[in-house]
Every structure is written in structure tokens, then in C-alpha cells.
Amino acid sequence: MEQLNTTNSVGLDTAGDERKAIVETLQFIVISVGEEQYGIDIRYIDNIVRMQHITRVPKVSAYLKGVINLRGEVLPVMSIRLRMGLDADEITRASRIIILRSEQEGNVGVIVDEVKEVVTLPVNEIEKVSREAKDGKPVFISGIGKYNGELISLLDLSSITLEENV
């Protein structure tokens, strides 16, 4: 997969003249989980693969679905739906496993309902979200991005991939 991350784009400044301004942007893979759209920073994505057989591992959290063998590497796979407290996964032809790179945890796969598109968002149009958890539960969203008139919740991968303190 080609590495596409922070880029620069050129636009007009507020005066509307022809001087060029540099705008920092980030790229996100837009996924659907249930009825919602979420964005995952492309810098943390190692691979996107079709659903495959997941070998169950006993005595782990319910959201950890098991492990897969991807080109000789055994990777844990989790249900992003169950991790976020949503209904169980309904595996369809559009379902995918996104392999995330995590320096602390190693690579991990997350099951998503569908991978939609890659979008580029200007950093100044991303609204940060409060990091304070309510009721001791993790906050899975780090910000909200606006793209083509729609809002995309940007996932905080560290809160998704970290093991719960139960």
C-alpha cells in the first residue's frame, strides 16, 4: 500500500488575491460501522484485507475475536463494534479487516462493516474532541472532520486498541 500521509495543498488567502497559502492536510480512510462514518488516519494503516477465517482464542475479552495468519504473521483481530459497545458484527461481502500499526501493541486487525474512501482533510477544519471519559469508559473519538457537507468522527486508535482495565 502506498504511504499517503500529510500533504500540502495550495489555495487563495482570505484577501482573495493570487498569493498562495500552504494548508497542512491529513488523509483518512473512511469506514462505516453501523450507521456511522469514522475516519482512521492513513499513517496507522498497514493493510486492508477481506474477511477470512478467524481462529478463536479462549478466555479473552468478547471484543477480541481471535487471530488470523497474514503472510506468516499471527495477528490479533478485534471487533470495533463490540469494543465501542455496539451490536455484534454482521459479516457481509463489504466487511474488511484493517491492519493497524501500533508501536506499543504491535499490529492488530479491526473488523469494520465497510471501507468507503480516502479523504483529505485540512488540519484547520478538524475539531478536537474532549479527551475526558465519562463513567470511566474510554473516549474513542479524537476529533470531528468535515468533508463534502458531512461529519466524519475521527477514531482515537490508542483508546480502541488498548486493553480495558476491568
Side-chain angles (χ1 to χ4, degrees):
M1 175 180 275
E2 183 180 337
Q3 183 74 19
L4 304 171
N5 45 7
T6 305
T7 60
N8 290 323
S9 53
V10 178
L12 296 177
D13 65 6
T14 55
D17 61 20
E18 295 189 26
R19 284 180 288 182
K20 302 204 187 243
I22 303 297
V23 178
E24 186 178 5
T25 60
L26 294 172
Q27 289 188 313
F28 295 88
I29 296 280
V30 177
I31 62 168
S32 65
V33 177
E35 299 296 317
E36 300 295 320
Q37 290 191 109
Y38 295 95
I40 300 176
D41 191 328
I42 202 167
R43 294 176 295 180
Y44 301 108
I45 296 177
D46 185 60
N47 205 342
I48 300 172
V49 296
R50 292 186 185 276
M51 284 303 298
Q52 54 187 278
H53 176 73
I54 299 173
T55 303
R56 186 82 184 126
V57 176
K59 297 184 181 182
V60 294
S61 299
Y63 66 87
L64 291 171
K65 303 306 282 182
V67 294
I68 61 171
N69 184 340
L70 186 65
R71 292 186 291 280
E73 183 180 2
V74 176
L75 300 172
V77 175
M78 70 168 54
S79 165
I80 198 168
R81 283 174 156 264
L82 293 178
R83 180 68 174 115
M84 295 172 71
L86 303 173
D87 293 335
D89 296 288
E90 292 181 28
I91 304 302
T92 67
R93 293 176 60 86
S95 299
R96 297 290 183 265
I97 299 173
I98 297 180
I99 309 301
L100 302 173
R101 284 190 292 259
S102 171
E103 293 172 11
Q104 298 88 2
E105 318 296 315
N107 289 357
V108 62
V110 293
I111 300 170
V112 301
D113 294 346
E114 182 180 7
V115 175
K116 296 180 102 42
E117 63 184 321
V118 177
V119 300
T120 301
L121 301 176
V123 171
N124 60 356
E125 289 189 25
I126 296 174
E127 303 279 334
K128 296 292 179 197
V129 173
S130 172
R131 310 288 294 165
E132 293 183 28
K134 294 184 173 108
D135 302 329
K137 294 181 180 178
V139 177
F140 298 112
I141 306 301
S142 64
I144 305 290
K146 299 174 195 111
Y147 183 75
N148 286 345
E150 293 188 29
L151 297 179
I152 300 170
S153 300
L154 306 177
L155 290 175
D156 176 14
L157 298 180
S158 63
S159 67
I160 288 173
T161 58
L162 290 178
E163 186 69 29
E164 288 179 355
N165 297 326
V166 180

